[in-house]
Amino acid sequence: MAVVTKGFAYPSPARTCTRIDRGNGNPIGRSGAYMARLILLNKPFRVLSQFTDSSGRATLADHVPVPGVYPAGRLDWDSEGLLLLTDDGPLQARISSPRFRLPKTYLVQVEGIPTEARLQQLRRGVALKDGLTRPAEAELIPAPALWPRHPPVRERKTVADCWLKLVISEGRNRQVRRMTAAIGHPTLRLVRWQIGDWTLAGLAPGEYREIVVAQEEIPHRESHPGARPPGGSRNGRDSRGSRDSQDKARRGKATHHAPATSAQASAGPGRRARDAGAKRDALPPGARRPKRAR
């Protein structure tokens, strides 16, 4: 099976499908498990991460003629690079929800050249208006071999610039731009290169690659801290922990004595003691009490 990318065939990294479900069109793997469709798009500069726009701006509909898929997360209008789309709700949530902490890798052209102390700020976390960011991976890199941007980045002869590789596990609004601005180096160009294990390799701007993803390949808690595993509870505990808590609660209720009836309450302490002893000494049906030794 090959995945077509606007005329170019790539070997599919996903599992081989054996048939298609007639109900929703999703592929089914050899084991019988449903497999989600995933589209890797190289979103061009100044394209909205949606399929419609009342102002007439460029949208995903200009580049992805595939019905029934929706963006998993977003990428700003003035940013470029990897945008994932899928027709599977659980996969969409696992990619876009910040609680799964899926790592996202960005190639960032910034104004000026950050010192090691400024890079350490990014690695420790930057204080933004909406709170401290999680620690990021940050390093200076040589200028990557990317496609030219249209329009190009405005160059200033009196101010140097450089490229950073930044890996974050959050998805706040314009987070990377705000982080670099907070350390004194505004972003000039922003390209998202990778999300989890999915990369932009082999895709030109506006091109996309379609693959299928098996359930076991979807990111979850074991691979990314903070994620909710399949069947897990919303408070972060797994289902087994919830069942254990429920069992303990049931055992605790079983040890509590039932409230006394009116007849029991009116009886004296001797009567209640005799009744309790009789219940404790009762034998199962058919059993015979052993004779007492003389």
Side-chain angles (χ1 to χ4, degrees):
M1 176 182 177
V3 178
V4 177
T5 307
K6 286 197 174 181
F8 297 93
Y10 291 84
S12 174
R15 296 176 182 271
T16 302
C17 301
T18 58
R19 62 188 186 279
I20 301 295
D21 181 79
R22 294 182 179 180
N24 57 17
N26 281 352
I28 303 176
R30 295 186 182 276
S31 63
Y34 283 89
M35 305 176 75
R37 298 171 67 188
L38 185 68
I39 289 178
L40 288 68
L41 169 70
N42 186 347
K43 188 190 82 68
F45 182 61
R46 292 183 178 176
V47 172
L48 294 173
S49 297
Q50 57 196 47
F51 281 91
T52 60
D53 180 58
S54 58
S55 301
R57 291 173 293 182
T59 68
L60 298 179
D62 299 314
H63 303 281
V64 185
V66 180
V69 295
Y70 304 92
R74 64 188 304 274
L75 191 59
D76 292 327
W77 176 73
D78 52 353
S79 299
E80 311 161 69
L82 183 60
L83 181 66
L84 301 178
L85 302 94
T86 181
D87 61 349
D88 185 82
L91 177 58
Q92 183 185 39
R94 290 176 184 271
I95 294 173
S96 58
S97 176
R99 73 173 181 268
F100 291 98
R101 302 187 183 183
L102 199 61
K104 304 174 182 68
T105 302
Y106 294 86
L107 306 180
V108 193
Q109 185 180 15
V110 298
E111 190 175 280
I113 302 178
T115 62
E116 183 62 25
R118 297 291 176 86
L119 294 177
Q120 277 298 115
Q121 286 183 256
L122 298 174
R123 295 166 186 153
R124 290 194 301 265
V126 180
L128 304 177
K129 290 184 178 180
D130 52 355
L132 188 70
T133 64
R134 291 174 185 159
E137 299 177 26
E139 62 175 312
L140 283 168
I141 61 172
L146 296 174
W147 55 89
R149 200 188 76 175
H150 302 288
V153 175
R154 183 172 62 92
E155 295 183 3
R156 298 173 60 183
K157 295 182 180 180
T158 58
V159 180
D161 60 68
C162 70
W163 284 85
L164 303 178
K165 178 184 176 182
L166 198 62
V167 182
I168 64 174
S169 59
E170 297 177 281
R172 305 187 197 182
N173 184 41
R174 301 182 73 81
Q175 180 175 344
V176 172
R177 296 179 185 274
R178 291 191 291 148
M179 289 174 67
T180 62
I183 65 168
H185 297 275
T187 293
L188 301 176
R189 186 181 180 186
L190 181 60
V191 178
R192 184 160 64 194
W193 183 259
Q194 185 170 349
I195 300 175
D197 295 329
W198 300 299
T199 74
L200 204 60
L203 294 175
E207 292 185 346
Y208 69 90
R209 176 162 63 248
E210 182 175 350
I211 62 176
V212 289
V213 181
Q215 184 177 5
E216 60 267 23
E217 296 171 335
I218 298 176
H220 50 81
R221 180 188 294 269
E222 283 74 9
S223 57
H224 300 290
R228 177 183 172 191
S233 63
R234 292 189 181 277
N235 60 4
R237 300 176 183 174
D238 60 18
S239 56
R240 181 177 61 183
S242 301
R243 287 195 297 270
D244 292 343
S245 300
Q246 294 170 3
D247 292 341
K248 289 180 180 178
R250 283 193 292 269
R251 287 196 297 271
K253 290 179 181 179
T255 58
H256 293 164
H257 295 291
T261 63
S262 57
Q264 290 172 335
S266 60
R271 168 81 177 275
R272 289 198 296 269
R274 288 194 300 273
D275 293 343
K279 291 181 180 179
R280 187 171 56 249
D281 295 337
L283 294 175
R288 303 179 63 181
R289 190 180 302 280
K291 296 182 180 181
R292 293 183 179 180
R294 296 182 178 180

